Amino acid sequence: MKILVINAGSSSLKYQFMESEGGEVFAKGLCERIGIDGRLTHKVPGREDVVREIPMPTHNEAIQSVLDILVDPEKGVIASTDEIAAVGHRVLHGGAAFTESCIIDDACIEAIKKCIPLGPLHNPANLMGIEACQKIMPSTPQVAVFDTAFHMTMPPKAYIYAIPYEYYEKDDVRRYGFHGTSHRYVSARAIDMLGNPAHSRVISCHLGNGSSLAAIVDGKVMDTSMGLGPLAGFPMGTRSGDVDATILEYLMGRYNYDIKEMLNILNKKSGVLGISGVSSDFRDLDAAAAQGNERAQLALDKFIYEVKKFIGAYTTVMGGVDAIVFTAGIGENSIDLRRQICDGLEYMGIKMDAEKNNVRGKEADVSAADSKVKIFVIPTNEELMIAMDTAALCGK
Ligand code: ADP
C-alpha cells in the first residue's frame, strides 16, 4: 500500500511517501518555519531536490503543500491524492493507554489529548498534523504510531519510580520510554539475523541526537533508559540523562532559576555539549578531541562509560545477551564509538571484529567469529514501521 508518513513538530513537518511492502520511498521532504513563513524541501530519488517558499501560517497549509507537490505534474510522483491509501502519523506520547498503533478516530484523538501533560512539547504538534490531514483529506484513513507503545511490555519493577505510589496511581508517573518504533524495527531485524531463535535477549542502542537503550527479551521490552520523558538515561547531544535531583534544588537556589530555566539547561545545554562546551555533534567532538581538546574527550569518555553501564545492567537483568544492536546517527556511523563501547566487554562474550566494524550506514554483523554475542549495525527505519503498521490497520 502507498502510505504517507507524517512526523509533525511544532514548526516543522517531515513526510515520506512510500510503499509499505518492501519500503520503496517515492518521495520525502520537510516543511519548515510553519507559523513563521514557510519552506518546503521535496526530494525524489534520482531527481534534483525542490525547494519552495510557500506561506504556511498553520499545519493545514503545510499538509496542503505536501499534497500539491506529490501531485505536481512536473515534480510530483502521483496523478491524484487518491493514490495515497492511508496516512501514518508519528505520535510521541501514548501514555499507558496505547500498547500498539491505532486507527485515528475521535476516541484515539481524545486519548492523545489526555497524554499532552506527559508530552507537552510534542503531542500538541503531532495533533496539529493529524487535524490538518483530517481536514484536508477527510476520506483517507489515518493511523497513529506511538514512540512509547513498544515499551509498554515492561514489568512494573522496571517502570515504577521509587516515589510515593499515589503519583503512579493518580498521576501516571512511571517510566514510559521513547524511540519505541526504532527499537522495535532494529530488534526485530536483529532477531531475524539471529535466525529467529525461540528465546532471545537483545540490547538495542539507539544513539542519535537523542539516545536510548532498550533491553528486549523474546521481542518484548523489559527495560529502557528513557523515563517519563526523553530527558532520562545517559548523556545525549544536549540532554543530561539521569541526574541527581538534588542538583536542581542546589542550582535553582544559587542562580535563582525557575523550573523552566532549569529544565531548559538540562534539555538544551547539557549532555556532551554541556561537558565539552564544543558541540552536540559527535563528529565535532571527535575532531576537537583529536586536536587535544580535553573536555571534548571527557564528553566522549562520559558518553561511552554510561552506555557501557547500561549494557552491563541490561545484560544482568536479562540473564545474558545474545545480540547488541547499534542504530541511529551515531550508532550507524561512528566506527570508533562502537569500538570503544564494546572495548573491554570481551569477558562478557562481546567481541568485535575491527575490520567488519569498518562500516557506515548499512546492515552488518560486526562481531568476531568467536564472539558469543552478536554485534549488529542496523540502520533504523521508523518510517517503514509506521507505514507497515498503517497498512496493516487500514489494509485489505
Ligand atoms: P536524530 O535523533 O535527530 O534522528 P540522528 O539519529 O540523525 O539524530 O543522529 C544525529 C547524530 O549522529 C549527529 O548529531 C552526529 O553526532 C551523529 N553522527 C552522524 N554521523 C556521524 C559520524 N560519521 N560519526 C560520528 N557521529 C555521527
Side-chain angles (χ1 to χ4, degrees), residues 14 90 179 206-211 237 280-284 286 327-335 337 360 380 382:
K14 286 189 206 146
R90 181 180 182 189
H179 297 135
H206 179 109
L207 310 177
N209 272 323
S211 296
S280 64
D281 192 304
F282 281 70
R283 287 161 291 197
D284 299 338
D286 283 341
T327 193
I330 301 163
E332 291 166 28
N333 295 300
S334 182
I335 294 162
L337 221 99
R360 282 206 169 100
T380 194
E382 292 162 272

Side-chain angles (χ1 to χ4, degrees), residues 195-210:
N196 289 304
H199 179 50
S200 63
R201 298 155 303 183
V202 174
I203 297 175
S204 147
C205 308
H206 179 109
L207 310 177
N209 272 323

Side-chain angles (χ1 to χ4, degrees), residues 335 338 352-360 362 364 366 377:
I335 294 162
R338 288 196 301 257
M352 185 172 260
D353 181 316
E355 198 112 314
K356 289 187 190 158
N357 184 45
N358 199 6
V359 65
R360 282 206 169 100
K362 54 178 187 203
V366 300
V377 175

